[in-house]
Structure formats: C-alpha cells, structure tokens
Amino acid sequence: MSEARLISLTVNGETRETLVEPRRLLSDVLREDFALTGTHVGCEHGVCGACTVLIDEKPARACLTYAIQMEGHEITTIEAVSDAGLSPLQRALHEEHGLQCGFCTPGIVMTFEAFLRDTPDPGEEEVRDVLSGNLCRCTGYQNIVSAVMKAAAEMREAAGD
Amino acid sequence: MTETSKFHYIGKPLPRKEDRRLVTGHGRYLDDIIVPGALHACFVRSPHAHARILGISAEVAREMTGVVGVFTGTDLARWTNKLRLAPPIEGLHPTEIETMPTDKVRFHGDPVAIVVARDRYIAEDAAECVAVDYDVLPPVTSIDTAFAPDAALVDDSLPSNLVSHQTFSAGDVDARRKEAHAVVEASFYQHRQTHVPMETRGCAVLWDPGREHLTIHIGNQVPHPLRSQLAGRLNLSESQVTVMSPDVGGGFGQKIALYREELAIAALARHLKRPVRWREDRAENLMSASHARENLCRTRASVTENGRILGLELELAEDFGAYCFYPANYMSRVVAMIVTGPYRIQDYAFEMKVALTNKCGNGPMRAPMAITSWVMDGTIDAIARQLDLDPLEVRRINMLRPADLPYRMATGEVLEDITPSETLESAVNAIDYEAFRKRQRALRDQGRYVGLGLCTVVESTTYGSAFYKSAGIPGSGHEAAWVRIEPSGTVNASVGLGGTGQGYETALSQTVAEGLGVDPSEVKILTGNTDVAPYGMGSRGARGGTAGGGALFLCARKARGQVLQIAANKLGLNTSDDMRLLDGQVERLINGEWTATGLTLADVARNAYLDPTSLPEGITPGLDFSLTYDPPPMTYSNSTHACEVEVDVRTGALTILRYLVSEDCGTVINPVVVRGQQQGAIAMGLSGALLEEVIYDETGQNLTATFADYMVATACELPNFEILHHHTPNSRTPAGIKGMAEGGVMGAIGAVTNAVNDALAPFGTVADRQPLSPQYLRSLLRDRGAAARQNEQE
Ligand code: FES
Ligand code: FES
C-alpha cells in the first residue's frame, strides 16, 4: 500500500485539496472527505450505476475511478444539479413518480442530465437502452422512462422559446 | 373511482413529499449519517459450505496499523444471547442460532470473525489476514440431498434436516379422486432468489456508557420489533435501546430480522465503548444477507369432464437454507393456506416439508407466498391441456362468483369483498382474447410462437392478530398511531411502520388529513425512530396502508371529535353534531348547506394549549391523541394478470409483447403511489421469473456474488404495464383500505410462465421451472426437436 498523497480535485466548480492513498475510490473521497453523500454506492463493481457522476461532463462510475486519477478533471455530482432549483429532469421524476426509495435516483439523474444535453429528442427505446446502465429495484422503470421523455420535451420547448 | 369520492384527501394523486430531498441527493441513507470517531467493521466469512471451525488465528491482523481488534463467535457468545425460535407450532422443530458460529460454519459466506479498524480499507485488508482452520464436511445442497437417509446434518441439534413438516386435509380428496373423470398432475419449481435492495444492509451503533444507552442507526422495516430483539439479545431493557431508521434504499423483506452481523456490531460498540459501523458490500448482500423462494410444488387435481375441480392435493417442499431467522414453516404455510385463491375448492389437502441445507437462510421476500398463483393458475392450464379445454373456460367454471361471497376456503380463511371474476373478465376483454387466439394461429403458420398467460391473484395483504393466533404464531397484527395538533394548528403524526420507499410521508399524511379534516400539506408523518413512534409491528407484507393508514385515520378521527367539541363550545353550541372540519376550517350544516363559522383549527389549538381554563367540561388541555388498531384477521386484494409473449424457438429468447393487469385493491389512498407499487411488484416478479437466480454448485459454492452473475432486470428487459382499476372497498377496515404491493409479484410469475407454455403448446412441452432463461427454453425445445421440425414444416 503506497503513501497517501495530497491531491487537488475540482468538484462542482470548487477546487479542494485532500490527502488520499492511491487506492482510494472517487466514490469514497466524494462521500467521506467532501461529505457529498448524494453519490451512492450500490455495488462497487460498476454495474448498478448508483455512483454515476460526471467527469468532464460525461457520465462515469465513481466506484471504478481512483480519486488520484482525477487531478486536472472536472467532477460534477448530484449536489450541483439543483443549484438553481430542481432541473427539468428532477421535476419530471417527481411529477411522474419516477422514484420510490430514491437510492438509484442520483445516478439516474446524472446519467440523463448528460444524455439529454447531447440527445434533446430521444426515442423511448433509446432512453430504455441508456437507462439499462442503472439498476432500480423499486419502480420497474416505466415511470423513469416517462419522466425522461417529459423532461426532454420540456427542455426542447424551453430551448425553442 | 366513485367509491372513493366520499373522501376529500384519500384518493388524490398527490406527488410525493419525500421526492425533493431524494432527487437532489439530500436523502439521508445509513451510510450518509456521519458518526464522528466511528470504527469500521469487516466480516471474515467462510469459504466453505459446511465445515468445522478448528481454530482462528488473528495475530497478524491484530498487529496491523489501524486495527482495533479481531473478534470471534466465542467473544460474542459472552456478550450476547442466542436466537431461540421455538413457537408452539405442531411439526416445527425449535432451533437456536449463535450470534456467530463457534463450532461450525453452515454456508458459503457464514461469518466467523469480525475485524474492527480505523477505516474500511484497513478493516478489509486485515480481514484477509485472519487465518481460519477448517475441517470441511459434506455439504447439503438441495432438498433431495437434505432428505436422503445418509444426509449430513445441517443443524447438529436436530434429528434430521426436515425442520418442519405439516399436513392438512379438508373434505375428502381420496373420494374426489375416485369419482373424477381425470386426475391432472402438475409441478412447479421456483428457484432461489434474493431481495437485492439497492442499498445493502448496514448499521452504525453508538453506546453511551454514562446513560448506558445504545443507539443504532439501521435501515429497517420494523423498528420496534427490532428494538425488542436487540435489547433481549444484549441483555438490555427496551428503554436502553433506540432504533433510528433513516431513509432506506429498499427492503423487500430483507430488512426485517435482526441479523447476526448487526447484533455483533452493537455488542462491539458496547464492548469497545466506541461507535462502530458496518456497511455490507454487494458480494456479502448477494451471498449472506437473506435468500428467498426455492420451493417445489406438486399439485394433483381431480376434475370433471369439463374441467371443474372436485379436489386438490398440494405437496410443497422448501429449501430453507442453513439458519432459521423466521419459523421455517412461515412462508410455505401461507402458500398452502391460500393456494386455492379465487377458485371454489372445498376438498383440499396439503403436505409441506421444509429442509435445512447449506445455503444462506431464507426470509420473506416481497410476496413470501409468491409461487401461489402460478401453482393454482398453472394447474388450471394443466387441466385445460390434458382435457383439451379452453383455459379461460376452465377458469370461469371454477371461479368464485359474486354470490359465493363471503367464501370460507377449505383452510378456513374467509374471502370477502373481492372481485376475481370481474378482474378476469375485464382483463380478457381488454386483451381481446378471441382476437389474440386468431393472431396466435396465424403467426404459428408463419413459424412464430406467441402465447397468452392469465393469472388471477388473491393476495393476502394485512394480517390481523386473529390470523396469527389461528396459525399458532405468537404475535400481533396491530398497529399504533399518535396524532398531535401543535399550538399553531400544524399536525404531527406517527405510526410504527418503517418505510423503505413506499411514500409514507405522502400517503399516510392523506389518511390523517382525511380523518381530521386538514390539507395533507399540514400533516407531517414521523416514522422510524423508536423514541418518537409508538410501538407498532412495522412494515411487512402489504399492511402499511390498512394497518398503518387505518390506525392513523382512526386516531385523526378521534382528534377531530375533540376539536369539534372545543369548537362547538367556542361557538356557544351545546353539541358538535352537524359540524365538520375541512381544510382546517370549522363548518356547520345550516339548512343543508355547509357554512363557514370563521373558526379554524389554529383557533381551537390555541384554546387547547394557551387558554385551557375555557375548554368545555371534561376536556383536558392540549390536543394529543393515540390509539392502537387491530385489523380484521386477514384482508385480501385481487387482480388478474394477462401477459403476451413471443418465444423465438431457435434461440429460446423470450420477448414480452404486452402486459396488462386488472386489479382491485379497494380504497386507494394515493393512486400515484399505488400504481408505482404495482409496477414495481410486477417488475420484481418478472425479473425473478426471467433472469435472477442464486446458484450454488454441488460443493455449496455460491456462484452468483456479483451483479454480473446475479442478473436483475434492467429497463431493456421490462415492458410497460397497463393497469385497469376496480375499487371494491373492504367492509371491515377504516376507509375500506385493503393494501397491495405483493400481488404484482404473484401474478407476474404465473402469467409469464403460463404465457410461455401457451406459446410452446405446439411442441408438447411444458416449462415447469424458472427462471425462463433462453438456455432452459432451448433445452425444452431440443428434446422436442422432431415436433419442432415437423411443426416448422407444416
Ligand atoms: S456503485 Fe458504482 S456502479 Fe454500482
Ligand atoms: S427507487 Fe429504489 S432503487 Fe430505484
């Protein structure tokens, strides 16, 4: 096990320093060192998607990433999404009842915040395809899919205005 | 919907109050709770299915920097009591479980030691350095091997691995068999599964040596029963333990029992006088938390020429795993009690056997009786196949008609206020049964195989104390509630449930709002803290709405009575008849019209708290109410599931083309929440029937310890669900609530398998086990190669 090193990470636009062992996972550093506990850990082996954050605006698994690799990259977590009130996607999840226990929800929000930016007019198939990277044990996915479709429509409308 | 229109707040599709914190990442699940100075625990687990523990050497681990200690079953035996389960149930052997095994391990993943360290990384490193010396014993890995005469004993204190054996008979099944036109046999094997809440188990425990008080943060469905257990096992009184259940990332029955790991962490926090926490990893959750299902049912139906069932015999065997955290007869017994469901069958007998094996112990998983409806409607399909009848007609001829209700089942359970023939007819109408059959024939001619499966469910939802009593299980089915109107007129209320995502803060606020007469936004629901909530039996089965919602509704009504009495007094009236509270406003019925009095709940509250001397005679200060409520022996909801599938006979791949449910769960508190529960339950049923499977090899090694091996359905494997609603209120429960949340699992398992068998009918093969994997379906078809080829040529 090698020595801890002082690294600086840019998280939600803020640069913070922390002392980490090279093997420390990004998910643990976010949750434990920075108290950003909205990033959840559901499997720690890259399947469930609960730990999804954005690295340089692209969705990535925080549980498969070492914090030490993240110097020079921009990390965005769920806590930054609602800076200006609920995002259209968060609002749609609420309105469409797209969450029950909510444990999977931050990972789903992060996945689709990025997706909808790149794909403003997705089809339902495509949404299901992308959503297959996030496990949800409560909802059966149907309402999450309708929430994403609704958010997309709303965002298109807002962009058109 | 007309049934619920007499309500003002019940039945409204309000979006959930809890969502805001959850969608923004501000939920507080167990691992989000900061406990300063907490130590982290990691368990050392057995790599063997069955082995004697010869010795544990932990010197290397203890020496590692950051390690506080390594503890074994022997240490825990000094600080804790064993779990003894010995309910007075005929045919059930009493069992005892140590807090951690001292003598032998009984399954792959059984804990043998705990490392406590400064952080989780160090604890995990050190756990790898604990060396355990084992003498490997022969493993018992199936029901058949468990009952073999020379089988190794899983529990050395029992005479055999048959931990529970019960039989029952009503009417005369032998006579019915003799007079029958035909006797139809069918079998149903449901494989081993596990709950997979997205948040794994875990706990954080603090011991206050000064106050001698233990606080445990733990995601749990039944906070008070858990407190009783914990206190008892630690030799503490119930007033020395506080259970705090935060936001919980799903439970599905896995978060009911007090597990050995949690008890061990609590004992260590007290022993070390330092906070200790544990977060289970996914491998532990899949291997060692709790498993479920793995049961085999065989039915034998004696039938007339047109498919009327004269008598039914059921043989049921369950692989219960290594340890009994619940009475071993518990899950199977419910299956056996209600299997005849929506059908008129008075001559019925069952035999059930429960086996101990070297696998993770079983527990109730969303629909502990999941297999029930598949067994019954699968039997109906078997009758139709054997007698060459239309499966829908066989259902119709056997189904309970409205005039049969209330109906005393052969087991003595009484069904009332259910509508199985209505849900069946509306489901087949919506599907258009005749049109489907035509389409099916046309597609078969093109070499495509589609099938339609029907499954009618009678779901036991809320278990009252009388049910427990008649099943011989000590315990209560009651729930407790309090409602407090604060001096400002705002309302706090609490109940003994433990939510795991059901939206209690919203739906339960609607039941209080209805009982009292205020807007649900004025009501705050507090649950999950045993110092705050009253002692209730918690969340399990589908009791939350009926027992919890019912208790709150009745308690709020009691509060309303007093509020109106005070209001009448303030208005100078000598009776509160013809008065009501609506949206927090006191109204009077004058000439048949509800008329505002200008008085509000806040005015009454001020009177009650700040000017108590002016209260009417006999009314004491404050507005503080509580009560307990015991539901009827059992409430039932019902539904009919209809599922259309296509099987690709070349690959065995299964596609769900359409999924429809017609359901009746009585009065609905919040249709948004109910629909979500129904979708989630169907999804869990399909995921289990199609994909999930806990696999042990013949040496008892668990081969499914990651999500790559234990497959849970993703958004790509599940269809959209169409749901049709009926609302027949229960006549015995407050507001007519019945409950639901598990029937979806029961129906899905049956409907999808029946659909597959309908699709495969031309091949003369029957899927009688799950999961319905492509490999399994191909294997069925391979045996039928000739038939398949012939059919393709035709
Ligand atoms: S926790 Fe990272 S994918 Fe599951
Ligand atoms: S809402 Fe519970 S896991 Fe998705």
Side-chain angles (χ1 to χ4, degrees):
Chain A
M1 175 188 357
S2 38
E3 282 303 291
R5 241 182 63 193
L6 191 68
I7 60 167
S8 90
L9 293 181
T10 308
V11 181
N12 300 336
E14 212 181 301
T15 302
R16 310 164 78 155
E17 298 208 320
T18 184
L19 195 63
V20 298
E21 278 177 32
R23 64 174 178 168
R24 239 168 113 70
L25 299 175
L26 178 60
S27 47
D28 287 339
V29 169
L30 290 172
R31 295 179 46 82
E32 291 164 16
D33 299 11
F34 298 159
L36 294 169
T37 54
T39 301
H40 296 157
V41 175
C43 71
E44 262 182 328
H45 54 258
V47 181
C48 77
C51 66
T52 305
V53 297
L54 303 186
I55 299 176
D56 300 329
E57 310 208 333
K58 292 207 171 46
R61 308 288 208 223
C63 76
L64 295 184
T65 308
Y66 294 111
I68 207 159
Q69 301 171 287
M70 286 298 102
E71 277 194 297
H73 297 278
E74 300 256 345
I75 298 156
T76 313
T77 69
I78 183 71
E79 284 83 356
V81 174
S82 51
D83 274 350
L86 294 188
S87 74
L89 176 60
Q90 289 171 319
R91 212 166 39 238
L93 282 164
H94 170 61
E95 289 165 0
E96 294 296 301
H97 190 30
L99 63 148
Q100 291 181 22
C101 79
F103 196 79
C104 67
T105 310
I108 289 172
V109 170
M110 298 318 284
T111 303
F112 282 96
E113 289 291 342
F115 174 75
L116 290 177
R117 234 188 348 250
D118 300 340
T119 320
D121 194 3
E124 192 178 316
E125 286 285 288
E126 211 177 349
V127 169
R128 282 194 175 263
D129 197 44
V130 173
L131 184 55
S132 71
N134 294 79
L135 293 181
C136 172
R137 190 57 156 166
C138 300
T139 63
Y141 304 107
Q142 184 168 346
N143 292 351
I144 302 176
V145 174
S146 26
V148 173
M149 297 302 284
K150 182 175 187 173
E154 247 170 55
M155 287 162 74
R156 281 197 306 276
E157 205 166 300
D161 284 347
Chain B
M1 258 300 155
T2 48
E3 300 292 353
T4 55
S5 62
K6 63 175 185 276
F7 300 118
H8 288 102
Y9 312 104
I10 284 181
K12 291 253 170 346
L14 300 181
R16 302 196 319 167
K17 297 179 180 187
E18 39 275 89
D19 287 352
R20 191 180 177 83
R21 68 174 186 272
L22 303 181
V23 295
T24 56
H26 292 107
R28 266 161 65 86
Y29 301 89
L30 176 70
D31 218 37
D32 305 339
I33 296 167
I34 296 167
V35 179
L39 301 170
H40 293 253
C42 177
F43 289 86
V44 178
R45 294 180 183 275
S46 166
H48 303 292
H50 196 193
R52 206 76 43 227
I53 303 168
L54 300 179
I56 299 175
S57 75
E59 290 70 34
V60 179
R62 281 201 183 94
E63 291 306 305
M64 291 169 70
T65 315
V67 171
V68 173
V70 180
F71 306 90
T72 66
T74 316
D75 299 315
L76 289 160
R78 288 203 306 272
W79 307 326
T80 61
N81 300 317
K82 294 179 184 177
L83 171 64
R84 182 170 167 77
L85 270 194
I89 296 173
E90 184 241 310
L92 176 72
H93 287 287
T95 54
E96 237 175 35
I97 310 180
E98 293 177 296
T99 302
M100 234 167 35
T102 53
D103 174 39
K104 75 168 189 176
V105 289
R106 296 196 205 167
F107 74 95
H108 177 200
D110 215 352
V112 280
I114 319 175
V115 176
V116 179
R118 200 178 57 211
D119 76 30
R120 196 159 68 97
Y121 288 74
I122 297 171
E124 286 180 15
D125 285 344
E128 303 229 322
C129 297
V130 175
V132 184
D133 195 8
Y134 294 103
D135 176 21
V136 178
L137 301 168
V140 176
T141 57
S142 70
I143 297 174
D144 285 345
T145 52
F147 294 151
D150 57 345
L153 276 184
V154 175
D155 184 334
D156 295 335
S157 73
L158 299 185
S160 78
N161 294 319
L162 179 63
V163 64
S164 173
H165 184 194
Q166 296 175 318
T167 55
F168 169 88
S169 179
D172 188 344
V173 288
D174 292 330
R176 298 294 87 75
R177 213 182 311 116
K178 283 185 198 118
E179 73 200 29
H181 164 76
V183 176
V184 178
E185 300 195 350
S187 78
F188 308 86
Y189 170 73
Q190 189 186 31
H191 56 298
R192 199 166 193 82
Q193 295 164 50
T194 182
H195 312 62
V196 193
M198 290 317 299
E199 182 191 28
T200 54
R201 295 179 301 160
C203 60
V205 187
L206 295 89
W207 172 251
D208 179 338
R211 289 163 59 237
E212 297 193 304
H213 193 92
L214 187 110
T215 301
I216 180 168
H217 299 271
I218 179 171
N220 190 271
Q221 302 172 222
V222 297
H224 285 94
L226 185 86
R227 187 187 70 180
S228 301
Q229 280 277 324
L230 193 54
R233 304 277 301 274
L234 289 168
N235 286 327
L236 294 171
S237 80
E238 285 177 296
S239 55
Q240 286 178 285
V241 177
T242 301
V243 174
M244 309 238 278
S245 187
D247 285 328
V248 185
F252 314 112
Q254 196 172 70
K255 296 175 182 172
I256 294 175
L258 170 66
Y259 290 100
R260 298 173 298 167
E261 290 91 341
E262 298 151 355
L263 173 63
I265 301 297
L268 283 171
R270 181 173 65 171
H271 170 72
L272 296 167
K273 300 190 174 55
R274 292 172 72 178
V276 184
R277 69 188 308 158
W278 168 62
R279 195 195 78 210
E280 181 180 57
D281 70 23
R282 185 54 69 183
E284 291 179 288
N285 183 260
L286 290 169
M287 288 170 66
S288 316
S290 173
H291 287 172
R293 320 237 198 270
E294 191 157 21
N295 37 16
L296 173 66
C297 290
R298 289 205 178 87
T299 56
R300 192 192 282 158
S302 303
V303 295
T304 65
E305 217 167 343
N306 54 5
R308 174 80 183 103
I309 300 171
L310 302 172
L312 183 75
E313 294 156 79
L314 170 72
E315 265 175 45
L316 193 156
E318 179 177 349
D319 179 333
F320 206 68
Y323 294 105
C324 300
F325 291 100
Y326 301 86
N329 68 324
Y330 160 41
M331 278 88 79
S332 289
R333 173 104 193 163
V334 180
V335 177
M337 294 284 279
I338 66 167
V339 75
T340 55
Y343 301 107
R344 276 173 293 133
I345 299 171
Q346 283 298 318
D347 296 77
Y348 170 60
F350 70 73
E351 174 171 20
M352 62 179 251
K353 293 179 174 172
V354 183
L356 291 185
T357 60
N358 291 116
K359 300 178 185 174
C360 177
N362 268 20
M365 169 170 158
R366 191 176 202 170
M369 63 305 198
I371 197 172
T372 309
S373 308
W374 175 34
V375 170
M376 195 58 229
D377 265 38
T379 298
I380 298 255
D381 281 356
I383 295 167
R385 267 195 306 273
Q386 187 167 326
L387 274 57
D388 205 15
L389 298 168
D390 179 344
L392 177 56
E393 287 310 317
V394 181
R395 284 174 172 77
R396 283 180 174 143
I397 195 173
N398 285 293
M399 194 162 275
L400 291 168
R401 297 153 303 202
D404 297 319
L405 299 172
Y407 182 75
R408 181 174 294 275
M409 300 164 94
T411 50
E413 293 300 299
V414 178
L415 299 174
E416 57 188 336
D417 306 321
I418 60 165
T419 55
S421 54
E422 287 90 329
T423 58
L424 174 67
E425 296 305 332
S426 81
V428 294
N429 252 332
I431 282 277
D432 196 344
Y433 189 74
E434 293 310 325
F436 172 82
R437 290 290 176 219
K438 262 196 217 120
R439 200 161 63 240
Q440 182 180 41
R441 280 191 294 273
L443 286 169
R444 275 183 192 164
D445 293 342
Q446 303 166 24
R448 287 180 57 191
Y449 296 90
V450 297
L452 172 65
L454 296 172
C455 189
T456 297
V457 177
V458 172
E459 173 191 2
S460 46
T461 48
T462 315
Y463 297 54
S465 300
F467 178 87
Y468 288 111
K469 174 128 192 172
S470 70
I473 305 168
S476 171
H478 85 280
E479 197 42 68
W482 60 249
V483 171
R484 286 180 201 143
I485 300 157
E486 306 296 344
S488 65
T490 190
V491 183
N492 282 312
S494 183
V495 66
L497 303 178
T500 52
Q502 300 92 329
Y504 285 157
E505 289 163 49
T506 312
L508 296 179
S509 78
Q510 289 174 262
T511 63
V512 174
E514 189 66 50
L516 184 59
V518 297
D519 192 85
S521 63
E522 294 293 322
V523 181
K524 178 153 182 180
I525 301 290
L526 305 160
T527 56
N529 180 331
T530 52
D531 290 349
V532 174
Y535 197 114
M537 304 316 290
S539 296
R540 56 198 300 175
R543 71 189 300 276
T546 319
L552 282 166
F553 174 78
L554 293 174
C555 191
R557 272 229 177 131
K558 182 171 161 186
R560 184 187 64 179
Q562 182 156 329
V563 165
L564 292 178
Q565 256 180 288
I566 297 171
N569 181 61
K570 277 180 94 71
L571 293 168
L573 306 168
N574 47 20
T575 167
S576 61
D577 296 352
D578 292 339
M579 291 177 69
R580 73 172 185 186
L581 194 63
L582 188 68
D583 288 337
Q585 308 287 324
V586 178
E587 297 181 352
R588 276 180 74 190
L589 194 61
I590 301 175
N591 302 328
E593 296 266 326
W594 285 108
T595 316
T597 61
L599 214 55
T600 66
L601 179 61
D603 298 326
V604 172
R606 230 177 348 263
N607 189 173
Y609 283 93
L610 305 177
D611 186 14
T613 57
S614 73
L615 289 171
E617 228 181 270
I619 298 227
T620 52
L623 290 169
D624 191 336
F625 308 89
S626 66
L627 56 71
T628 62
Y629 163 64
D630 200 349
M634 183 67 82
T635 60
Y636 292 94
S637 288
N638 63 280
S639 59
T640 297
H641 292 235
C643 175
E644 283 183 37
V645 301
E646 176 163 4
V647 178
D648 181 335
V649 294
R650 279 163 298 271
T651 62
L654 173 66
T655 312
I656 297 173
L657 303 172
R658 187 170 181 197
Y659 200 103
L660 179 138
V661 188
S662 173
E663 62 83 32
D664 188 342
C665 65
T667 299
V668 165
I669 302 173
N670 181 326
V672 174
V673 169
V674 165
R675 204 168 68 100
Q677 286 292 316
Q678 287 165 336
Q679 291 170 345
I682 299 166
M684 188 173 263
L686 291 177
S687 179
L690 267 40
L691 297 159
E692 297 172 31
E693 184 174 22
V694 174
I695 301 172
Y696 283 94
D697 70 11
E698 65 290 345
T699 66
Q701 290 289 304
N702 186 323
L703 305 181
T704 43
T706 74
F707 277 150
D709 308 295
Y710 189 88
M711 284 182 296
V712 172
T714 73
C716 287
E717 285 98 25
L718 295 174
N720 282 327
F721 309 118
E722 302 163 53
I723 305 182
L724 309 173
H725 303 281
H726 302 250
H727 300 285
T728 309
N730 186 296
S731 50
R732 293 172 191 262
T733 63
I737 303 165
K738 290 176 176 171
M740 52 81 232
E742 300 192 316
V745 179
M746 302 166 74
I749 292 171
V752 72
T753 316
N754 292 346
V756 165
N757 285 330
D758 187 43
L760 298 184
F763 301 90
T765 185
V766 176
D768 61 2
R769 50 194 301 135
Q770 297 168 347
L772 301 164
S773 65
Q775 294 86 332
Y776 173 53
L777 297 185
R778 266 307 299 160
S779 76
L780 291 176
L781 290 162
R782 207 171 296 126
D783 298 344
R784 299 285 157 164
R789 268 191 304 280
Q790 189 193 350
N791 216 294
E792 269 163 29
Q793 279 159 14
E794 270 168 15

